[in-house]
Amino acid sequence: MSETPDTTAAEIPTLFDFAAAEPGLTKAWQDAGLFRAQAERTTRLGGDRDPFTVLIPPPNVTAVLHVGHGLNNTVQDVLIRWRRMAGEEALWLPGTDHAGIATQNVVEKIIAKEGKTRFDLGRDAFVKRTEQFVEETGGVILQQLKAIGASADFSRTAYTLTPELSSAVREAFVRLYEKGLVYRGHRVIHWCPRCLTSLSDEEAEFHDSEGAMHHVRYLFADDPSQGITIATTRPETILADVAIAVHPEDERYAAFVGKDVLLPMTGIRLPVIADSYVEKDFGTGALKITPAHDANDFEVGKRHGLAMPVVIDPTGKMNVMHADDVHRIPADLVGLDRFDARKKIVKLLEASGALVKVERHANSVRRCYRCETVVEPRLSDQWFVKMAPLAAPALAAVKDGTIRLLPEKHEKVYINWLEGIRDWNISRQLWWGHRIPVFTCENLHADAYREDPTACRQCGARIISQDADVLDTWFSSWLWPISTMGWPNADAKDLKAFFPSDVLVTAPEILFFWVARMIMAGYEYMGEPAFHTVYLHGTVRDMQHRKMSKSLGNGIDPLDVVERYGADALRWTLIQGMGLGVDVMLDPNDLDKSFAPGRNFATKLWNIGRFILLQVGDDAIAPLPIDAASLRLEDRWILGRLDAAIAECDAALGPARPAHGKWPEQERQMGMRLDAYAEAARRFVWNELADWYVEALKPRLATPGADREIARSVLVHVFDHGLRLLHPIMPFVTEALWQRLPGQGAGRFVAVSAWPTRRTSGDVGAEFEVVREAIDAIRTLRAEYGVQPGHPIKAFVAASEKAAPLGAASALIQRLARCEVIVGAAPTGAAAQAVLTSGLELSLPLEGMVDLEKERARLQGELSNLSKQLDALRGRLSNEKFTAKAPPAVVEAERAKEREWAARCAQLEQKVQELVG
RNA sequence: GGGCGAAUAGCUCAGUUGGUUAGAGCAUCUCGUUUACACCGAGAGGGUCGGGGGUUCGAGUCCCUCUUCGCCCACCA
């Protein structure tokens, strides 16, 4: 990048050497500091640039890049590059998440190979070991992001466990604690017996499973000849039963309420109680109550003041937690795993005759989202956040259009979740994470402290302990939009300049885990929306529509794709295949199918550039605008097409933000159509600029003179702007080409060039469209009749204003269609015809070259088709309701169409007659 | 159990408030190396828009229903 490259053919190969070019471009961008955002330049700090902020969904610090990251980050990069070029102060803030459970699990696995558990190491040593692991392996993914072109501001790289972010987490906790929104709750929570921690509702994911419903008969204490049959899917919890419940209005059982039954196996006496929670119509209508091992039973137990014995220990084995409960577990079951115990208990029940029957039963079982172990409902003390007050503004923001979710369908899911919000269990019995800042003194006063205390705030006594638990990893993630910018320091420059942020790009899977909670945190701590747009993209799947995953072995390594096809190809494929919220299908067994089109497009771009550089040379270029009179047909046309492309790209991408704080109803679903943007830009550069304009220009470029200069100017202008339009998607090849354009060079970057805007002249160069149609029509006829490529033909067209462009472009038509067009001469004799829909009649005498009978049949077919269409059209037009009710513009368009089709039918009929005669 | 979404060409998908003869890429077939590009160019074939019903002058688009698939939520043991 240090010198202006020479533009000799020898030095421009026909393929873009992406492997050689990409690392250099990445380095050049970074060295030039193009992606470093400056708070002072934003309008919020008195500058003249609107800030545009995107926060990366922080990947786990130990993650390696997979294609899902590739998709997520490519979208963010496209947006950020687009707004940067639009002259805004664009900040893409990167970083990683310490990922509590996930990272702890990884390190536990590593030390397990040494035959150790975390308890063997002890808390401090384990945390140190994990820190060391993160230091060695962490952050790799951010380096990998550079390889796919990510234009993030790496000078601001954040990590949820830095001292700064940790203090933000602590401040956030203490504030909620002081407001009474954090509380200690004693209740049944989801417990992972493998990770040995509690989980939030969101972290305990439902999985469908084929279970068994066991019907078990409990006999009455006073009359063992009778009993009540209950149904359960978890027979092992029978040992912790404290009651049988029936519905108060269930006549079948009314007489039994108040009696005692005997628990099978242990013979413990249980009362029969009435509670309206029980559903009469489900199962047997009688329900065993196990308060310590089921969240609903816990509520029933509380209402009835029942005991809450525990029979399953934290590791999922049958063990009591309290000496009083020892008699609850038969000796030969003690210490058994819960699932082994289940089998054994079923046998015991069967042997004793208590097992009435076993039915297959499909149900959903919750599993740990990190290790898929079946979670165990467990009675314990945990810290909770009271969510209703936090949810209210987050709900209102989406309902009133302050924040929009794309695609729209997710708004309903979001609203539904928030309206039924439940309190958030934020304590985890882990060691890796932010330790809960609650301290207890000798006098057992517990309180939350911003700084580690030396004495009790209430009584001055010595502090004896800190809460052993750490916070849910998402308790730091939900602060990401503010903690990364310096909160709680209200004067932090970044916080002032870049918060609220703009667009959040992520997968729908973490809508509740993360997105909804960030919105809540934005309002709770800043009183503002964290962002105005949530873009929820699809999932990358294979051809069987399976999610790509390591375990299935159907993944695609983005870095492998970068190596084989280039980063631009990877990005192109991801973006052009990405409808709003639609999954992206890629074939892991045929990378070519997925990524060759992107590489091919990069090559095409490269060769357009190669041609232009070779033809145009290094001499100075006169900038536009150019006197309209000097422009030729194709010049005016391509400039018009550029304007159209700019308009389409802008419409597909924007608006970048709501104009007045809230999204107006008509704008709520607008923009963010990245696939439409990609297609509009591709079509302009390939199908218009390369296929037509460049072809039209070749002779002009070869002929020195004033017109060559015009051609050079327009050509460089439209290519330059085409590159700009494509740069956000394909940053590397566009940058490599753009820097070589005349007038650019070292120190100039398309990455920070101005996003194209439309010219003001309304001229779209419509005359050239007539030429294109003529060439298309002639080519079609040539192909249809197999006229030899070298065989010259002639066409005649009656002189008219409309035919004038054909005369002006006769050389072009001659070159591209191999056809001499003669304006003004009347066709004579029997001639096969190409008739243009634009109303021009172009006569091509094909006698001697084609089969006239075949031509007659072709015309006959066309005539018959068109007649049918015309009849239908006339039927519509003669319908009074249509003419009365349809908009006048539509009616007028239909009338014009009718005239045109009628004329063409007449022409066709005449030609058919001629050929018959 | 509740809610939401999808079904358009062989494949993956567009199709903006209903309004020309429903589009793109890939794949297929034919032709072509004209001095940027064969990772290219020219041309062609291919869809009763899942089935049925309705509203309307007009439906791929709106409504109902059925079928199939998918996602989210859920305290029926």
Side-chain angles (χ1 to χ4, degrees), chain A residues 401-402 657-664 667:
Chain A
T402 306
R657 58 177 64 76
H660 306 291
K662 281 181 189 165
W663 290 101
E667 284 185 13

Side-chain angles (χ1 to χ4, degrees), chain A residues 626-633 635-636 700 706-707 710-711 714:
Chain A
I626 288 171
D627 171 25
S630 316
L631 296 174
R632 308 226 322 212
L633 282 188
D635 298 330
R636 291 191 287 118
R700 294 171 64 191
D707 186 53
I710 302 289
V714 178

